[in-house]
Amino acid sequence: MEILHQKNVIKIVLFIIMLSNIQSKRGYIPISGHGKMFYEEKGEGEPLIFLHGHSLDTRMWDPQWDEFSKKYHVIRFDFRGYGKSTDQSEDFQFTHVDDLITLMNYLKIEKAHIIGLSMGAFVAGDMLAMYPERMLSCTLCSGGIRSVPGPSQPMGEEEKAKRDKEIAELKKKGIERYKKEWHKILMASGGSQRERMSLPLYHMVKDWSAWQQLHHEVRNYYAQEAWDELKRKGVVDVPTLLVRGENEVKYSKGTPNEMQYLSNAKFVIVKDCGHMLNMDRPDEFNKVVLSFLENI
């Protein structure tokens, strides 16, 4: 009986160790402004960081999480003001890409593969211009560097007045009605299999605080300043993949503007999907991105 008991204990311990290797590690890191940022990591190999879209959170990368962790040390986190991370405030200046650098420094990651979609692509684009030395590669999905004022250009009175009007109109409409409309917008460009992403998107938008829509955000993208820096550098050699959904670019011509400043870039259009292509067509998305990474 004693030997049988010891064998059972060993089996339980081995099972717990196996689970710890399968499950993700979660936690919080300190960020500027006395804030904290939620993150999750899994797997071994070269570091790869996922950047989520506006109104969403880490869950949008569920279709990639297990698949990519088979070959990479994958990390995802909630941007400041989203998910489980600290709220934003109207008077504290920060940028999302500098929060990303803080995360990398905290986890002792010198360089990483960066994959961002929509808002996440805005941040990845900022990084491509401002911190290319911290990137193993860059994947810009449904977005890129923004063409709006950066942090060095404060919001003027005219812009503030316009924003106040927008906020008042939204409050009159009601935030729940706005969220329903926003969910429809995210779904609108999807392909023939888009219904499978409807419920996950609904839950994320429902859980979103919508703080950004009801307040004056600080300039949290380098945006135009990133374009200026990219032009100053002349060319960036970070291996870069630019991905768009077929339904999102059907009326567009040419290639993304970022490509003229990249010496090692590839542009791919995924068929039968739209803006949320990683959730809309996860198998196709995974194949395209993993193939790109494997051939670097």
Side-chain angles (χ1 to χ4, degrees):
M1 290 294 292
E2 180 73 22
I3 294 174
L4 183 62
H5 175 71
Q6 289 178 351
K7 286 183 177 179
N8 287 336
V9 170
I10 291 172
K11 287 180 180 179
I12 293 171
V13 170
L14 289 174
F15 180 70
I16 292 172
I17 291 172
M18 182 186 73
L19 282 180
S20 67
N21 290 332
I22 295 173
Q23 292 177 346
S24 303
K25 176 184 175 183
R26 301 176 179 87
Y28 290 88
I29 68 159
I31 52 176
S32 59
H34 306 289
K36 63 179 183 178
M37 193 158 67
F38 173 78
Y39 78 98
E40 188 175 13
E41 58 182 334
K42 183 179 181 179
E44 296 180 355
E46 292 182 331
L48 185 153
I49 305 176
F50 291 111
L51 312 180
H52 68 77
H54 171 63
S55 78
L56 309 176
D57 54 55
T58 58
R59 289 174 290 178
M60 71 161 280
W61 295 109
D62 282 352
Q64 285 70 49
W65 191 239
D66 291 335
E67 187 67 23
F68 280 68
S69 69
K70 294 174 183 177
K71 295 184 178 181
Y72 298 94
H73 170 202
V74 293
I75 299 130
R76 57 182 175 179
F77 66 96
D78 289 331
F79 283 117
R80 188 192 303 246
Y82 298 86
K84 300 175 184 177
S85 294
T86 294
D87 291 336
Q88 299 179 36
S89 66
E90 293 185 319
D91 58 359
F92 182 77
Q93 178 60 57
F94 77 99
T95 65
H96 289 306
V97 73
D98 286 308
D99 280 350
L100 169 55
I101 295 297
T102 298
L103 172 73
M104 291 177 66
N105 291 343
Y106 184 88
L107 297 177
K108 295 180 171 57
I109 296 172
E110 182 181 354
K111 293 185 177 186
H113 299 286
I114 305 296
I115 301 176
L117 186 143
S118 194
M119 183 183 80
F122 302 159
V123 180
D126 273 358
M127 191 172 184
L128 195 59
M130 310 303 285
Y131 301 104
E133 71 281 359
R134 302 298 299 268
M135 307 179 89
L136 291 171
S137 72
C138 180
T139 300
L140 301 171
C141 312
S142 300
I145 302 174
R146 299 196 72 190
S147 297
V148 295
S152 65
Q153 185 177 334
M155 186 180 291
E157 292 303 317
E158 184 177 345
E159 187 179 353
K160 287 180 181 179
K162 180 183 178 182
R163 186 77 190 103
D164 285 336
K165 183 179 179 181
E166 292 170 346
I167 292 171
E169 290 174 351
L170 179 55
K171 287 180 177 179
K172 184 177 180 181
K173 173 188 288 189
I175 197 64
E176 294 309 313
R177 179 182 168 188
Y178 170 81
K179 285 184 177 183
K180 290 178 181 179
E181 293 174 354
W182 178 242
H183 176 259
K184 289 181 180 179
I185 291 172
L186 291 178
M187 290 290 296
S189 68
S192 60
Q193 299 184 32
R194 65 183 176 184
E195 283 306 315
R196 64 181 169 188
M197 68 179 182
S198 180
L199 194 58
L201 281 174
Y202 170 80
H203 285 307
M204 284 186 280
V205 173
K206 182 177 180 292
D207 293 343
W208 173 46
S209 70
W211 184 94
Q212 296 79 9
Q213 309 308 118
L214 298 168
H215 295 83
H216 292 259
E217 274 195 288
V218 297
R219 312 278 200 209
N220 46 37
Y221 309 104
Y222 280 103
Q224 188 56 54
E225 294 172 32
W227 276 117
D228 294 341
E229 181 62 17
L230 204 57
K231 293 170 184 176
R232 186 191 68 79
K233 285 184 169 72
V235 66
V236 172
D237 62 1
V238 174
T240 304
L241 174 66
L242 301 98
V243 193
R244 302 288 188 272
E246 180 182 36
N247 296 348
E248 191 175 32
V249 298
K250 62 175 64 176
Y251 301 114
S252 302
K253 293 183 179 180
T255 58
N257 291 333
E258 290 86 354
M259 292 190 72
Q260 62 186 305
Y261 302 103
L262 304 172
S263 63
N264 188 5
K266 182 180 180 181
F267 180 40
V268 175
I269 295 174
V270 180
K271 293 184 178 181
D272 190 26
C273 70
H275 188 71
M276 297 301 305
L277 49 94
N278 78 301
M279 299 177 69
D280 192 350
R281 282 283 184 176
D283 292 341
E284 291 80 357
F285 176 87
N286 293 355
K287 183 178 179 181
V288 166
V289 178
L290 285 170
S291 175
F292 162 72
L293 294 173
E294 290 166 5
N295 284 288
I296 293 175

